[in-house]
Amino acid sequence: MAITLRVNGRGLTAEVPPEMPLLWVLRDELGLKGTKFGCGVGACGACTVHIDGEATRACRTPVGTIGAREITTIEGLHAHPNGQALQAAWVAHDVPQCGYCQAGQMMTAAALLKDKAKPTREEIEGAMAGNLCRCGCYDRIQAAIGSAAGVEA
Amino acid sequence: MDVTTIDRRRLILSIGAAAGGGLALGYGFFTPGEAAAAASGAIGDYVVVAPDGAVILLAKSPEIGQGVKTLLPMIIAEEMDADWSRVRIEFAPVDAKYGDQSVGGSTTTPENYEPMRKVGAAARAVLVQAAAERWGVPAASLKTARGEVIDPASGRRLGYGELAAAAAKLPPPEPAKLVLKSPKDFTLLGTDQVGVDTPAVVHGEPIFGIDTELPGLEYAVYVKSPVPGAKLVSADLDAVRRQPGVTQVFALDGLAPPAGQQVGLAPGYAPGVAIIARNWWLANEARKVLNARWDESIGAGHSTDVYDAQAREILKGSGKVVSQHGDVDASLAGASKRVQAVYHAPFLAHLSLEPQNCTARPTADGGVELFAPTQVATDTRELTAKTLNLPLDKVVVHIRRSGGGFGRRLMADAPVEAAVIAMKAQKPVKLVWAREDDVAHDYYRPALWIALDAGLDAKGHVSAYRSHGVSFTRDGTKPTTGGGVFQDAVPGLLAGSARTEQSLMPTIIPTGWLRAPASNALSFVHEGFWDELAHAAGQDPIAFRLAHMRARIAAEAENSEEGEPKLKISRLAPVLELVAQRSGWANRQSLPHGVGMGVGCYFSHRGYFAEVAQVRVSQDGDWRVEKVWVVGDVGSIILNPLGARAQVAGSVVEGISHLRCAVEFKDGCTVPTNFPDFDLSRMPDAPQIDIHFLITDHPPTGLGEPALPPVIPAVVNAVYAASGARVRELPLTADRIKAALKTT
Ligand code: FES
Ligand code: FES
């Protein structure tokens, strides 16, 4: 079945079953591999994307349920209102170790900053708790979100 | 021209280097007629300089998040005085001339620091020589800085790019004649440098193994028995074949490794069913109708509760003596106080965030090409060749960035599976393990049980220290990989007499090295018991340790053959003293009710670390680490402080995960299946971390591991200080803390 998605401002079509998770449509059918597979069960946040601005687990989102809503992936983060500030902060703090979780971390952080321009330390912790980093970059994620938002983290 | 578009394999046509530990500087020349040859210069096996002065440096070792893809080229760039802002890094091809291209055991820094300096110094030497010849002045009169050769007498300058073509044709300098910088003249090493792939990461570029793309690529899952190595009895391959998008399905008998050895470390692979489809999700969906039945009889009785009962029975007796000094039995009999305890550390899984995967493509010459996120590129190549019965030169391995390793990717099982599947299918295939596969087919940190029996003399000094450890064996004699290393740890080493005994139980559970292998469990046991001994002696746990260390330091001074990488108490005591100061240990009595401090110090992987944890424990036994102070001695220079601090912070967070997790087995099958079954550290669990490096006059060593072991006992000891609960079994759950409160 041909499904057309709005991804990072473009219309993209894939010939896939509607129950196929967005994660695998992005990665294997549309060639957007920045969104990562960690668990497939919504438990790690590596696959986080935005659907109409809301942080969403792509591994748990059947592609047939999305319709005309706008999908933003890490490849489109730079166009998000907070995207470039987050990317710059991530580089300045050298947040990544292996880097595998970071697409999901940054997408969650961008959605947080859209809702709350100046989050507190606890609000950052609460928003980011679903994103696993096996390398333990949490202190730098916290600091980078703080600098992108212009608050003391 | 843009050198970044040139095929690396053609550019780096070089002759042996860094083989067998010593450094033979190889020189690369372009074959005549190559466009690249006219325009740019490959200097040795690691350095390419483009005419515009851009420099490509090759990183020989895999990157798993430990930072060596940044660090090794930094070392080269420092000695060659390259302009770091104009350096690009690529992985080296996997080739014998680069020596063993593996990463593990925090060995990359100590083993490559001097060789990479020499690579950089050699590149600098020929660039200077080329300038000297152009200007007709002695090379010794010239200087270099930020990618230029400078003639101080005349003020003339030439960029490396202008010299590269001439430099690349010069004979290599003799390694013995290379002049290395004095570290005080370093301008790059010792400064904070952002990871070379960080910009790509924040833009979501496809740089990981799992992101590999090839023309005509198809996607595979490999379904194996939940009991390791069990054979397939029956499966409905036809039903799978009918599933949408499925292109091939086949069962593989596997190839058993030599007796007593494990797949992934020896040639061979596990039996299973390969399902190949147009995309990975379709392949993984199709397995739902496979209906595979396996002969799981070999798993019977291999359950964690059975192991636990067996181990505790064994601990009632004695084991094989693996080391001893003094007369332990007499000292125990004559002790004024005896302290006894049994400690247990469970099986653990690695759980790197990028699941095991590898992409493989059959080549036109009958060989295979692998794109592998691996810690062992060299072994991956050799094991693939041996398993497929191919000559080594028909196996090409490309190193891809790994989404975490933690020792899991020291096993080449997934790459070998990918190669076998691609060869059988005769098409390019990306094999990706589902997370459930990754959890079910790990090489687990083996559990261990240790009974301890110590005696204190009248002065409160440890006069006797007996430890009897139980772990596993695969072949009936040797401990299985990653476990059973009951080496002398600090308390035993410092005691008046000590004996270490070992017993081994047979297992079929695959085991392996988990970040800071052996030390991550032994630190918990011995440093936890040390704390008990200090309290039994009525002394401050740090003062108690230091008092015992002082006597040993005196003995070390006389006994100088205890060289690197052996433990030197004279390096451990100073980090312990310093962490006491930095953490305000002396004032810990003023902490609020329910908050306590604990200490752990440990030597592993050539690094010396002491850590103090401040932990809050609630009435219900819930605990949270508020702050950890870390002091480490890894030698004379912290090569990239930004990366170094990240390794230490990550080790602390991972140590806290070790405290919270365990893997259970039932008749050879792994009980947990996916992340929800593991209480891994999340952002709210991460403590504040104060990191300090004590600079000492020793060669720099690695940081992937040594900061991890001490945090585990530090937290357990802090829980005791905060609540009075002495926990001797992990994971450190609220229930265990509450139970311990009742018995202590
Ligand atoms: S892959 Fe989607 S939450 Fe883990
Ligand atoms: S950086 Fe490795 S998992 Fe987060």
Side-chain angles (χ1 to χ4, degrees):
Chain A
M1 170 179 175
I3 291 183
T4 299
L5 299 169
R6 296 278 313 159
V7 187
N8 301 329
R10 289 191 298 156
L12 298 172
T13 302
E15 194 63 45
V16 292
E19 67 273 23
M20 183 165 168
L22 173 61
L23 170 64
W24 296 105
V25 177
L26 290 171
R27 288 187 56 82
D28 289 0
E29 298 287 340
L30 301 177
L32 291 168
K33 295 192 206 62
T35 305
K36 293 293 187 270
F37 168 53
C39 66
V41 299
C44 74
C47 64
T48 306
V49 297
H50 295 179
I51 299 183
D52 273 355
E54 220 173 291
T56 306
R57 302 283 185 256
C59 72
R60 306 289 285 164
T61 306
V63 78
T65 63
I66 299 170
R69 288 183 291 159
E70 181 65 40
I71 300 161
T72 308
T73 69
I74 183 75
E75 289 91 344
L77 178 63
H78 62 93
H80 186 279
N82 301 302
Q84 290 176 23
L86 282 167
Q87 285 169 327
W90 242 250
V91 173
H93 289 271
D94 198 18
V95 172
Q97 286 188 38
C98 81
Y100 194 79
C101 69
Q102 300 298 342
Q105 305 278 4
M106 297 179 79
M107 296 311 289
T108 304
L112 165 70
L113 294 189
K114 191 181 66 98
D115 289 348
K116 250 192 183 63
K118 305 270 174 207
T120 64
R121 194 182 170 85
E122 288 66 34
E123 284 167 343
I124 294 174
E125 273 181 13
M128 302 303 296
N131 283 78
L132 184 61
C133 175
R134 291 289 299 120
C135 299
C137 300
Y138 299 121
D139 55 345
R140 295 188 307 286
I141 295 171
Q142 172 78 247
I145 296 174
S147 349
V151 295
E152 273 293 304
Chain B
M1 65 170 288
D2 177 11
V3 295
T4 64
T5 60
I6 296 167
D7 181 339
R8 310 284 342 122
R9 277 160 298 156
R10 287 188 305 139
L11 206 57
I12 313 298
L13 302 166
S14 25
I15 320 148
L23 182 85
L25 279 167
Y27 265 72
F29 299 100
F30 303 111
T31 51
E34 287 209 39
S40 63
I43 301 174
D45 296 322
Y46 292 88
V47 180
V48 182
V49 183
D52 68 355
V55 172
I56 295 181
L57 298 179
L58 298 194
K60 71 180 269 274
S61 304
E63 175 65 54
I64 57 173
Q66 85 285 41
V68 302
K69 189 180 174 189
T70 305
L71 183 60
L72 296 184
M74 272 175 77
I75 301 170
I76 301 174
E78 175 68 67
E79 287 289 348
M80 85 177 261
D81 273 334
D83 178 354
W84 185 246
S85 68
R86 304 206 57 202
V87 168
R88 258 174 44 85
I89 315 294
E90 293 184 12
F91 285 124
V94 178
D95 190 301
K97 72 188 174 194
Y98 294 105
D100 181 29
Q101 293 171 275
S102 68
V103 287
S106 300
T107 55
T108 304
T109 297
E111 287 175 5
N112 291 287
Y113 178 59
E114 290 295 327
M116 290 300 113
R117 291 180 74 188
K118 288 184 178 160
V119 165
R124 179 185 175 277
V126 288
L127 288 160
V128 167
Q129 184 61 36
E133 286 173 15
R134 182 130 1 138
W135 288 328
V137 297
S141 69
L142 302 177
K143 295 197 167 351
T144 52
R146 294 183 66 89
E148 288 184 321
V149 181
I150 301 157
D151 177 8
S154 65
R156 285 178 294 191
R157 292 163 177 263
L158 276 171
Y160 285 177
E162 297 166 88
L163 295 163
K169 296 192 185 84
L170 290 171
E174 275 177 55
K177 294 208 176 126
L178 290 173
V179 183
L180 299 182
K181 283 185 180 176
S182 163
K184 72 173 169 21
D185 297 328
F186 285 168
T187 56
L188 181 62
L189 292 178
T191 65
D192 283 347
Q193 295 302 327
V194 169
V196 295
D197 283 340
T198 294
V201 165
V202 305
H203 288 96
E205 287 177 28
I207 56 175
F208 295 92
I210 201 169
D211 301 336
T212 304
E213 186 66 74
L214 294 172
L217 185 64
E218 294 188 4
Y219 301 80
V221 292
Y222 190 49
V223 183
K224 291 175 284 195
S225 163
V227 172
K231 294 249 182 270
L232 184 67
V233 176
S234 66
D236 196 348
L237 301 189
D238 285 331
V240 174
R241 212 164 273 132
R242 288 192 297 269
Q243 295 304 299
V246 171
T247 58
Q248 285 194 48
V249 186
F250 45 83
L252 292 166
D253 289 339
L255 177 68
Q261 297 190 47
Q262 298 192 84
V263 161
L265 288 170
Y269 64 100
V273 176
I275 304 173
I276 306 175
R278 206 187 77 208
N279 66 52
W280 186 81
W281 182 76
L282 290 169
N284 198 50
E285 279 295 286
R287 74 198 281 177
K288 288 180 180 161
V289 300
L290 178 63
N291 202 12
R293 278 212 289 283
W294 312 89
D295 178 4
E296 295 183 1
S297 53
I298 49 170
H302 289 281
S303 306
T304 22
D305 54 353
V306 174
Y307 288 153
D308 191 66
Q310 272 176 13
R312 288 176 198 275
E313 200 50 42
I314 291 170
L315 287 179
K316 291 178 186 157
S318 46
K320 183 181 151 205
V321 176
V322 291
S323 72
Q324 62 181 329
H325 70 265
D327 189 340
V328 172
D329 295 321
S331 305
L332 280 174
S336 39
K337 199 161 191 178
R338 277 287 271 277
V339 185
Q340 291 167 320
V342 175
Y343 276 73
H344 167 54
F347 287 93
L348 287 176
H350 293 83
L351 306 175
S352 57
L353 196 57
E354 181 188 20
Q356 302 309 302
N357 72 88
C358 184
T359 301
R361 157 164 82 182
T363 53
D365 65 357
V368 66
E369 193 177 9
L370 296 179
F371 302 80
T374 177
Q375 293 181 243
V376 283
T378 304
D379 287 359
T380 290
R381 186 170 180 226
E382 281 170 12
L383 293 181
T384 301
K386 284 191 181 137
T387 303
L388 287 168
N389 220 350
L390 286 170
L392 193 59
D393 61 5
K394 293 216 166 160
V395 179
V396 175
V397 174
H398 306 279
I399 300 172
R400 300 299 315 259
R401 189 178 181 90
S402 290
F406 317 125
R408 175 61 183 84
R409 290 183 224 269
L410 291 168
M411 309 302 188
D413 52 335
V416 169
E417 285 175 3
V420 170
I421 293 167
M423 289 303 267
K424 168 103 180 164
Q426 276 303 300
K427 61 172 79 157
V429 167
K430 185 194 290 183
L431 170 70
V432 177
W433 292 18
R435 175 58 59 191
E436 289 80 3
D437 296 323
D438 199 86
V439 171
H441 300 291
D442 199 354
Y443 294 76
Y444 308 89
R445 188 279 297 271
L448 63 77
W449 294 257
I450 296 188
L452 297 145
D453 188 354
L456 296 170
D457 65 18
K459 286 185 238 131
H461 196 97
V462 183
S463 55
Y465 195 92
R466 178 190 167 220
S467 76
H468 177 194
V470 180
S471 187
F472 298 96
T473 181
R474 197 165 300 281
D475 64 1
T477 52
K478 288 191 305 296
T480 184
T481 310
V485 193
F486 301 113
Q487 78 261 50
D488 274 338
V490 172
L493 205 60
L494 301 187
S497 65
R499 184 167 72 228
T500 304
E501 299 163 31
Q502 173 178 280
S503 297
L504 301 171
M505 306 186 290
T507 192
I508 59 151
I509 306 294
T511 63
W513 300 284
L514 174 68
R515 196 172 186 179
S519 305
N520 57 35
L522 292 173
S523 65
F524 157 65
V525 173
H526 291 295
E527 286 289 286
F529 192 57
W530 181 267
D531 208 65
E532 293 197 55
L533 294 177
H535 287 287
Q539 292 184 35
D540 170 335
I542 290 186
F544 182 71
R545 282 170 170 79
L546 287 172
H548 282 78
M549 287 180 183
R550 279 186 200 110
R552 182 72 190 180
I553 291 170
E556 267 178 7
E558 287 157 28
N559 195 356
S560 59
E561 89 273 9
E562 280 192 336
E564 292 281 347
K566 278 191 105 183
L567 165 65
K568 286 239 182 235
I569 300 295
S570 56
R571 293 181 69 184
L572 194 56
V575 293
L576 183 57
E577 278 172 333
L578 194 50
V579 85
Q581 281 173 30
R582 294 183 66 88
S583 63
W585 176 261
N587 302 322
R588 67 193 183 288
Q589 304 312 343
S590 61
L591 289 168
H593 184 73
V595 181
M597 274 187 181
V599 68
C601 64
Y602 215 74
F603 164 76
S604 71
H605 302 278
R606 308 185 203 205
Y608 294 79
F609 277 83
E611 299 175 23
V612 167
Q614 180 176 310
V615 178
R616 180 180 294 274
V617 183
S618 79
Q619 303 254 302
D620 299 330
D622 292 320
W623 56 276
R624 186 178 186 282
V625 185
E626 295 185 331
K627 185 157 182 183
V628 176
W629 290 262
V630 181
V631 176
D633 168 7
V634 287
S636 57
I637 179 169
I638 303 302
L639 296 164
N640 180 1
L642 190 58
R645 287 193 299 272
Q647 287 307 304
V648 171
S651 297
V652 167
V653 172
E654 178 64 353
I656 294 171
S657 287
H658 284 204
L659 281 157
R660 301 159 69 104
C661 292
V663 176
E664 238 185 280
F665 296 93
K666 186 86 195 127
D667 289 326
C669 301
T670 311
V671 175
T673 63
N674 200 322
F675 286 145
D677 301 322
F678 297 90
D679 193 11
L680 297 162
S681 298
R682 305 278 177 153
M683 189 186 274
D685 307 310
Q688 237 188 302
I689 306 171
D690 175 86
I691 300 166
H692 181 81
F693 294 107
L694 183 64
I695 299 303
T696 59
D697 194 17
H698 296 276
T701 54
L703 275 168
E705 289 157 300
L708 192 154
V711 75
I712 298 170
V715 170
V716 171
N717 296 337
V719 165
Y720 176 75
S723 69
R726 175 60 68 187
V727 177
R728 303 186 183 92
E729 280 180 39
L730 298 180
L732 183 62
T733 57
D735 285 347
R736 282 219 166 89
I737 291 175
K738 276 187 288 182
L741 274 174
K742 292 203 188 93
T743 56
T744 21

